[in-house]
Amino acid sequence: MLDRLMRVLLTGSAGFIGSHIAEAVDRLGHEVVPADVRTGVDVRDEVALNRLLPGTDAVVHQAAKVGLGVNVADLPGYASVNVYGTAVLLAAMARHGVGRLVLASSMVVYGEGAYDCLAHGRVRPGPRRSSDLAGGLFDPRCPTCDAVLAPAVIAEDAPLDPRNAYATTKLAQEHLSANWARETGGTAVALRYHNVYGPRMPRDTPYAGVASIFLSALVAGRAPRVFEDGGQRRDFVHVRDVARANVLALDAGTAGALTPYNIASGIPRTVGDLATALAEQTGGPEPVTTGEYRLGDVRHIVASPARAAAELGFAAEIGFGDGIKEFATL
């Protein structure tokens, strides 16, 4: 844990995750310098960054355009905010001698998670076939024998394979941050968030996460609509645990390099489990499993939080049941 107080520039400070990080950093007595487009500071604005960065010890970079992206027409917007914005920020950090970065990355950089084939061991599946999805076969196939694969735990050294606009730009952020660290001797930590949920989660927007989409439906008296067969496995991690991981990351990493960490609970749940738990907590209608699918979605991502535990001292503290109960009653 840090033994000195720091001045921390926090981009995306007014957002869902950023606002919780601001509180967590402030509680420890560090000075938070907020930067958010909602309060007039765009991360692409060099003038604003030149005003805010002098005297700063570290940057926690949360600002991003989120969501999967609908089609290729979305690419310029994602690239502008997430890629160009990060490049502008890193260049400004170098100018002002700021040597520590904590980057909000995402589990989406993995694409499909890790899978095992009974005959061929650990394999890397390609994108799921449209014909399989249309026929209700949602699990990936072995690229060698075409057998249906079993999900396995994914660690930070897994191959990266982003499969939508958002995922591609998050990986680009990691690469740019690694470039910055090598060239400046700075320390960069990339926190690969898994499915974050909790208080202040955006609702009723195109960028809402699945937990928020389900809750919005239930509050309106509608049954949550669960895509595929509801068996998609994810790791749902509470936003206050994520905020604590960011504080721990301020004192982590290696000079001249980028170090990634999975930020996850370590206990996977299905999307169907999530919908059912929210329906039970709200007393709303039971979920409806639709069989619908989106080509940009992935089937299973089951994370290993072992590196974060060993090197950051991070372990999720808010269990799924307690977290969902709080979230459902907000």
Side-chain angles (χ1 to χ4, degrees):
M1 182 61 70
L2 288 167
D3 58 2
R4 65 185 180 90
L5 296 182
M6 300 178 69
R7 187 172 191 263
V8 179
L9 176 66
L10 173 59
T11 73
S13 57
F16 164 45
I17 299 174
S19 65
H20 287 276
I21 295 172
E23 293 172 353
V25 173
D26 182 71
R27 277 195 298 270
L28 292 179
H30 303 298
E31 179 186 357
V32 178
V33 181
D36 194 286
V37 70
R38 300 168 183 84
T39 56
V41 179
D42 191 312
V43 73
R44 296 166 292 187
D45 184 345
E46 293 184 23
V47 174
L49 294 175
N50 287 336
R51 184 178 73 250
L52 297 172
L53 280 169
T56 294
D57 298 296
V59 171
V60 176
H61 183 30
Q62 302 292 308
K65 183 177 176 67
V66 299
L68 298 180
V70 176
N71 53 46
V72 293
D74 289 328
L75 290 175
Y78 279 91
S80 177
V81 176
N82 297 357
V83 182
Y84 178 68
T86 298
V88 171
L89 174 64
L90 293 170
M93 290 173 64
R95 283 197 303 274
H96 294 282
V98 181
R100 183 168 291 276
L101 172 71
V102 178
L103 172 69
S105 187
S106 172
M107 53 88 173
V108 296
V109 299
Y110 296 118
E112 282 288 353
Y115 291 88
D116 290 330
C117 173
L118 188 63
H120 298 98
R122 183 62 48 88
V123 297
R124 185 180 183 186
R128 294 181 292 172
R129 302 171 188 165
S130 297
S131 57
D132 281 346
L133 295 170
L137 179 61
F138 300 114
D139 287 301
R141 292 177 180 270
C142 176
T144 301
C145 68
D146 214 35
V148 173
L149 298 172
V153 173
I154 197 162
E156 290 85 352
D157 58 356
L160 305 181
D161 185 20
R163 297 190 177 183
N164 56 58
Y166 174 65
T168 299
T169 59
K170 295 309 286 185
L171 182 54
Q173 287 183 321
E174 288 198 17
H175 287 320
L176 289 169
S177 299
N179 295 157
W180 166 84
R182 284 193 296 270
E183 293 185 20
T184 66
T187 300
V189 172
L191 301 181
R192 292 176 179 164
Y193 301 157
H194 287 253
N195 287 68
V196 186
Y197 73 98
R200 304 174 210 153
M201 192 173 188
R203 286 173 55 184
D204 304 317
T205 81
Y207 311 111
V210 66
S212 187
I213 291 170
F214 289 164
L215 183 59
S216 292
L218 288 161
V219 169
R222 302 189 307 271
R225 294 176 59 80
V226 180
F227 280 15
E228 302 187 11
D229 60 358
Q232 310 94 302
R233 300 177 78 196
R234 298 288 188 270
D235 190 308
F236 297 98
V237 58
H238 196 277
V239 66
R240 288 197 296 274
D241 282 326
V242 171
R244 186 164 48 82
N246 275 268
V247 173
L248 293 169
L250 285 170
D251 196 30
T254 302
L258 178 138
T259 308
Y261 294 99
N262 285 327
I263 302 302
S265 74
I267 304 174
R269 307 278 179 170
T270 69
V271 173
D273 290 339
L274 173 67
T276 298
L278 285 169
E280 290 174 350
Q281 287 295 331
T282 60
E286 293 184 2
V288 174
T289 302
T290 69
E292 297 174 85
Y293 59 89
R294 297 181 298 187
L295 290 177
D297 286 349
V298 297
R299 180 61 173 171
H300 304 295
I301 301 184
V302 180
S304 169
R307 178 187 286 180
E311 299 181 13
L312 296 182
F314 171 79
E317 295 178 349
I318 301 173
F320 182 77
D322 290 339
I324 290 298
K325 183 176 181 179
E326 177 196 24
F327 180 59
T329 55
L330 293 175

